Amino acid sequence: MAMAGPERDMDLQPAAAPRGGPAGASGGREPVAAEAQARAAEVGAVVVKGPESSAPTPGSPDAASLPAGSPTQQGAKQGPRRRSLLLVAALALVVVAGVVLGALDPLLATLMVALLVALLFSLPQIPSLPALPEAPPLPPPPAPPVRGDAQAAAVVAALPEPALLLSATGEIITANERFTLAIGTTRVGDPLSFVVRVPEVLDAVRAAAEDGLPRRVEFAERIPLDRWLEAHVVPLRLEAHAGIRSGGRRAADVPDAVLLTFRDLTQQRRVEQMRADFVANASHELRTPLASLSGFIETLQGPARNDAPARERFLAIMAAQARRMSRLIDDLLSLSRIELNAHVRPQTKVDLGGILAHVCDTLSPLARDRGVTLDQVKDAVPLEVLGDRDELIRLFENLVENALKYGAPGKRIEVRLFRENGTAVVSIRDFGPGIPPEHLPRLTERFYRVDVAASRDQGGTGLGLAIVKHIVARHRGRLGIDSVLGEGATFSVRLDALPGPEKNGGQTAA
């Protein structure tokens, strides 16, 4: 029993080795104590290396400088607790190893375990991570743009009239080729106002995009030419979904595109204007001779009843006015008949040389009365065309008679017939004062005269050149008018000639 004390003290020395230094005593249990000491030193080395390995490196973020609640700061807070847990686990392992190997007294081991448990509960608690706020719901995806709708672009390109496909905000999506030719060039994405500068059309497009109702707008343009157009605005719904407009309003019936088409009303308006002018001019032309006839009849029935010289003079004027009305009615009937058959091309072979000879023979007395020489120059080879003989005679009579009436001061009129590249050409030239250039485009209009007083004095009705134009159009020919002031005027008619012998250079004059 006396040996128990020292032996117990010697057994306790290895247990103090991990805290202080290596044991200075040796005995029968020295190898076991040395092995436990080595294990404890190994565990201690691991514990010492832990803080060194977790030390922040240069350039690494400091946990204190990170925002609260961030994952990086939470990891920084967990570092000390993790190192404490490793230290407690190492001490527990040493205690257990000492008890198993008999190097540690059980009572002392119990006290150490209690100390470890108290140390474990005294460690700071890791605050729980705050719950992330719930993300707000994403807004619905925007409607796919109609700009990429190839089918709508193909339909717009196939329309027979100038057309534009616009977005709901008025931007150009696509345009067909007819729009480029009639209105102007366009570029995808540009506003409509870059091409169409008509406030009424822009307002109609904007309103149609808002309420989805079609509209029609008529407008006129003066630059570069006078023309009338009609714009049709039709809202379209190219997508099946319902769009959302500003203010959060769901627009189930609001269109996502607008189709804008144009129709040219210029020809229609001009025809209407010509018809109105024709009625006004025809009534005026008929009213003048009728007023003269009525006045002379009242005079003959009243004061000039027994005045033989006045009666003869008044009767001559009445006969001239009656002939004037007769010519006017004949011209109106001829014009109506030619217009009625304008779509039917004549199919009868006629010789232009014979027709021109007949016309010159018929008008030769008028030429002699006016002291004008009528020269006819034609090819020796007959020149035939498909035409109506009576209409062609009327055509060349009007041209030669106009030259005799208005080109008489030149004292010479030249009528030529020749072939040119498979075309029969008839030119009638006078050497009079000529025609001012501003009147040339309107000479073939009905009742249009360069000099109204001179035309009436010459007995003209204002329909001669209109008849000429319609006869040439029915024969699928071309009418040309050239004039130089002071040098006269030349009227030329070109008709398709039938195949025949080529010109041999011989010409005859009549």
Side-chain angles (χ1 to χ4, degrees):
M1 294 299 291
M3 295 289 295
E7 291 180 0
R8 187 181 299 270
D9 295 335
M10 292 177 62
D11 292 339
L12 292 176
Q13 291 179 1
R19 299 184 183 181
S26 60
R29 298 185 180 181
E30 183 178 358
V32 177
E35 183 179 359
Q37 182 182 4
R39 291 184 180 179
E42 182 180 358
V43 173
V46 173
V47 173
V48 172
K49 290 181 180 179
E52 292 178 359
S53 62
S54 61
T57 60
S60 62
D62 188 6
S65 63
L66 296 175
S70 63
T72 305
Q73 187 179 18
Q74 295 295 334
K77 289 182 178 181
Q78 290 178 4
R81 180 177 175 84
R82 186 179 297 110
R83 289 192 296 270
S84 301
L85 289 176
L86 290 176
L87 180 59
V88 171
L91 293 176
L93 180 62
V94 171
V95 172
V96 173
V99 173
V100 172
L101 296 177
L104 188 65
D105 185 70
L107 180 61
L108 182 59
T110 303
L111 293 176
M112 294 182 67
V113 169
L115 181 62
L116 292 176
V117 172
L119 180 62
L120 179 64
F121 280 100
S122 66
L123 291 177
Q125 297 293 328
I126 301 177
S128 60
L129 294 177
L132 295 177
E134 189 173 344
L138 296 176
V146 297
R147 186 168 302 174
D149 197 333
Q151 294 181 352
V155 171
V156 172
L159 292 176
E161 296 177 344
L164 272 177
L165 184 62
L166 307 172
S167 65
T169 57
E171 296 178 351
I172 297 175
I173 297 175
T174 183
N176 59 6
E177 185 178 358
R178 294 171 183 83
F179 182 89
T180 303
L181 297 176
I183 308 298
T185 58
T186 61
R187 189 172 58 182
V188 175
D190 284 349
L192 176 63
S193 58
F194 282 12
V195 184
V196 179
R197 297 177 177 86
V198 181
E200 294 83 0
V201 176
L202 300 178
D203 293 341
V205 171
R206 191 179 302 108
E210 290 294 333
D211 55 22
L213 299 178
R215 286 170 171 78
R216 183 179 65 88
V217 179
E218 291 187 9
F219 62 96
E221 290 185 348
R222 303 300 180 186
I223 298 175
L225 297 174
D226 290 346
R227 61 176 181 172
W228 291 263
L229 297 172
E230 183 182 49
H232 291 267
V233 183
V234 181
L236 301 178
R237 297 170 182 86
L238 301 180
E239 301 295 335
H241 61 81
I244 297 180
R245 287 296 176 86
S246 60
R249 180 172 60 91
R250 181 167 294 275
D253 297 331
V254 174
D256 49 17
V258 177
L259 179 63
L260 179 61
T261 59
F262 294 88
R263 189 163 70 95
D264 195 348
L265 303 178
T266 304
Q267 188 65 23
Q268 177 181 343
R269 293 296 179 87
R270 287 179 178 175
V271 170
E272 294 175 355
Q273 186 64 34
M274 289 175 60
R275 185 180 296 110
D277 294 342
F278 173 76
V279 173
N281 291 325
S283 61
H284 176 72
E285 294 293 334
L286 289 174
R287 186 181 294 111
T288 301
L290 283 175
S292 300
L293 289 176
S294 299
F296 288 127
I297 290 174
E298 293 176 359
T299 303
L300 291 176
Q301 289 177 346
R305 177 181 300 177
N306 299 321
D307 189 348
R311 184 170 60 246
E312 295 296 331
R313 187 172 67 255
F314 291 161
L315 289 175
I317 296 174
M318 293 170 63
Q321 294 297 332
R323 287 192 298 270
R324 178 183 173 186
M325 283 195 301
S326 178
R327 288 194 304 270
L328 180 60
I329 293 173
D330 290 342
D331 288 346
L332 289 175
L333 292 176
S334 299
L335 192 58
S336 299
R337 184 170 57 253
I338 295 169
E339 289 181 339
L340 183 63
N341 298 323
H343 63 286
V344 181
R345 185 175 183 178
Q347 299 297 323
T348 305
K349 290 184 179 181
V350 294
D351 180 17
L352 285 181
I355 291 177
L356 288 176
H358 173 76
V359 170
C360 291
D361 291 342
T362 302
L363 296 177
S364 57
L366 179 61
R368 286 194 298 268
D369 293 341
R370 295 178 178 271
V372 178
T373 302
L374 190 59
D375 297 334
Q376 182 182 2
V377 181
K378 65 179 181 178
D379 291 345
V381 179
L383 193 56
E384 293 182 335
V385 299
L386 295 177
D388 186 308
R389 179 179 175 83
D390 293 337
E391 290 185 358
L392 290 177
I393 289 176
R394 183 70 179 274
L395 163 66
F396 297 121
E397 278 183 349
N398 286 346
L399 292 178
V400 174
E401 188 174 358
N402 279 347
L404 291 172
K405 291 179 179 178
Y406 307 110
K411 302 301 181 183
R412 186 166 71 92
I413 293 175
E414 183 181 84
V415 180
R416 298 182 68 241
L417 171 63
F418 57 94
R419 181 191 294 267
E420 182 180 78
N421 298 328
T423 302
V425 182
V426 179
S427 66
I428 300 170
R429 179 183 180 185
D430 65 69
F431 298 87
I435 304 171
E438 63 270 16
H439 295 286
L440 294 179
R442 301 189 60 188
L443 284 179
T444 57
E445 293 183 11
R446 302 177 184 184
F447 299 108
Y448 185 82
R449 298 179 175 93
V450 177
D451 189 342
V452 178
S455 175
R456 288 179 178 175
D457 292 341
Q458 297 292 340
T461 61
L463 296 174
L465 291 180
I467 293 174
V468 168
K469 180 186 70 174
H470 284 81
I471 293 176
V472 172
R474 185 183 178 220
H475 287 75
R476 308 300 187 265
R478 297 189 301 274
L479 175 65
I481 305 175
D482 298 322
S483 179
V484 178
L485 289 177
E487 298 181 7
T490 301
F491 292 79
S492 60
V493 178
R494 296 176 179 270
L495 303 173
D496 294 336
L498 296 177
E502 295 294 334
K503 181 176 68 175
N504 56 8
Q507 293 181 343
T508 61

